[in-house]
Amino acid sequence: MSDAIYRAAEPDISIIIVSYNTRTMTLECIRSVLAQTTTVLYEVIVFDNASTDGSPEAIRANFPQLELIASQENLGFAGANNIAAMRARGRRFLLLNPDTLILNHAIDHLHEFADANPRFGIWGGRTVLSDGRLNPGSCWGDATLWSIFCFATGLTSLKRSSSVFNPEGYGGWKRDSIRAVDIVTGCFLLIDRELWKQLDGFDPEFFMYGEEADLCRRARKLGASPTITPAATIIHYGQSSEPDQAEQRIKVLAGRITLLRRHNSAATILAGKTLYMLLPLLRLLGYGTAGLVSGRSDLREKARNWRYVWQHRQRWVNGWSNVGVRRARGNPRNDRPEEVAAVERPLGDALSRSRQG
């Protein structure tokens, strides 16, 4: 690594990594950034979201030259990135998940692509799994009532290669060509500093999940054209900070419904919420019946997970709320009655601080 490239006085890119209990992966991610980024001038800012696995100490010990923000509270993905962006000096910001590895100078290539296509405003790349298979989650299409219906009823899972039944996933497109997309995922998202400032960063109501979809929608209204290039390819493992599948599904649904509320009419919101509420019930019925008939323990476990999602619907049915955010933070006050804690901490108190100077 060239020290001049990494610690440039005026970096082209500020690489922002938000970590939460991903110590080993975060260290490997940083190592890959330093090893594979050799032409673009950059800085690295790591925001640790109150990890309990020794992440801040390990980052300081291994990379004392990096800027580390060690939060005493879990502010979520949106709030953490908003704060880190205030410290950033680059003319572009690269949001990078800690469960990623940079391959083949991907950041250099993404920077070159952005320089060649400055009008796009937001740029992304291609993500693969550790074995080289495609991870399609680097970009998505907007959610519509049709796509929510397909998602809720399981048609998307059955017909992933179909652009009709999997419109949010762009059907069978392998992310192997340059293409304008609705949403570049926050695991590997490059955005112009000025555009970020115009948008006022992420909406802090999104604790996690859905914030980049909201950002890209708002950016497109300002004339941006989020686009990905296969020339910038990274490994993205996914779901590393949330190994509990049921908890992860609750957070995804909270993000999806918050996004639904933000950008749709009252009638669409009602229809969309109804479909999202059907989702865990249909999964519970399907996996429960299949597990009972087949005797398979894995299917019974899936049914139990979806039962948990349904039983905890107060955390997601109206999008991100006091209860959902507090539980997602891992606040010890979770042990108190939820109604009491919700009154004592109005939604957005900590998250709104991420926008204050």
Side-chain angles (χ1 to χ4, degrees):
M1 177 189 67
S2 169
D3 190 64
I5 289 175
Y6 164 60
R7 297 206 278 193
E10 297 182 0
D12 292 311
I13 292 179
S14 295
I15 300 170
I16 299 173
I17 301 172
V18 174
S19 65
Y20 178 65
N21 290 330
T22 52
R23 180 181 59 188
T24 300
M25 283 187 167
T26 301
L27 296 177
E28 290 302 311
C29 172
I30 296 170
R31 290 189 185 102
S32 74
V33 168
L34 301 183
Q36 292 290 327
T37 311
T38 58
T39 60
V40 61
L41 304 177
Y42 70 101
E43 65 177 350
V44 179
I45 302 172
V46 181
F47 188 105
D48 186 78
N49 250 330
S51 294
T52 57
D53 66 346
S55 287
E57 296 80 7
I59 293 167
R60 285 194 188 98
N62 285 272
F63 306 105
Q65 74 274 40
L66 302 188
E67 179 166 4
L68 171 66
I69 305 170
S71 177
Q72 298 303 305
E73 183 177 17
N74 182 356
L75 298 181
F77 187 77
N81 273 291
N82 284 349
I83 291 177
M86 294 177 187
R87 304 272 193 93
R89 297 176 296 124
R91 61 189 178 94
R92 295 190 180 116
F93 301 157
L94 176 65
L95 311 186
L96 183 67
N97 271 22
D99 58 342
T100 60
L101 290 176
I102 303 303
L103 303 175
N104 302 319
H105 305 280
I107 295 175
D108 292 333
H109 293 315
L110 189 59
H111 170 66
E112 292 167 4
F113 180 67
D115 271 354
N117 301 278
R119 66 180 181 82
F120 294 162
I122 295 176
W123 308 265
R126 187 172 186 264
T127 52
V128 297
L129 300 172
S130 57
D131 61 5
R133 288 182 297 120
L134 176 68
N135 179 345
S138 65
C139 58
W140 298 102
D142 283 334
T144 63
L145 280 182
W146 171 247
S147 73
I148 296 170
F149 171 80
C150 292
F151 178 51
T153 58
L155 286 171
T156 296
S157 297
L158 292 173
K159 301 286 186 180
R160 290 200 181 278
S161 62
S162 168
S163 59
V164 174
F165 297 111
N166 184 20
E168 290 183 37
Y170 292 109
W173 176 45
K174 298 184 182 299
R175 280 62 172 164
D176 54 358
S177 58
I178 294 172
R179 179 170 173 174
V181 296
D182 292 332
I183 302 157
V184 172
T185 307
C187 71
F188 191 46
L189 181 154
L190 183 65
I191 182 170
D192 262 333
R193 178 193 189 94
E194 291 307 312
L195 179 57
W196 176 273
K197 289 174 66 176
Q198 279 184 276
L199 297 169
D200 201 15
F202 284 135
D203 183 338
E205 184 173 349
F206 291 86
F207 185 79
M208 60 189 300
Y209 296 114
E211 65 287 302
E212 72 270 76
D214 170 75
L215 183 87
C216 288
R217 282 197 185 201
R218 292 186 287 122
R220 294 192 331 253
K221 289 179 181 179
L222 295 180
S225 178
T227 302
I228 73 159
T229 173
T233 297
I234 67 170
I235 290 174
H236 181 212
Y237 297 102
Q239 300 181 17
S240 57
S241 63
E242 184 55 80
D244 187 316
Q245 286 191 353
E247 285 293 330
Q248 192 258 351
R249 287 164 179 159
I250 285 173
K251 292 168 184 173
V252 167
L253 286 169
R256 277 182 163 265
I257 291 178
T258 302
L259 185 67
L260 181 73
R261 290 199 343 252
R262 274 283 186 266
H263 296 279
N264 294 281
S265 66
T268 300
I269 293 169
L270 177 61
K273 280 184 62 175
T274 301
L275 289 170
Y276 281 132
M277 291 185 71
L278 280 174
L279 190 154
L281 292 175
L282 292 174
R283 298 293 195 281
L284 172 58
L285 177 63
Y287 285 122
T289 302
L292 182 65
V293 171
S294 68
R296 287 174 50 183
S297 60
D298 61 325
L299 295 177
R300 293 198 298 270
E301 178 62 23
K302 289 181 178 180
R304 282 192 292 270
N305 284 339
W306 284 110
R307 182 180 294 110
Y308 180 90
V309 173
W310 175 250
Q311 290 171 338
H312 291 80
R313 60 191 176 277
Q314 79 279 1
R315 292 168 53 192
W316 56 264
V317 70
N318 291 311
W320 282 111
S321 63
N322 297 292
V323 171
V325 169
R326 181 169 44 79
R327 291 290 297 270
R329 282 194 182 116
N331 194 309
R333 287 183 290 178
N334 290 349
D335 294 334
R336 295 178 302 160
E338 292 180 338
E339 295 80 7
V340 173
V343 170
E344 292 183 3
R345 169 170 280 179
L347 174 62
D349 278 1
L351 293 180
S352 64
R353 290 199 297 271
S354 68
R355 294 198 171 192
Q356 297 174 3

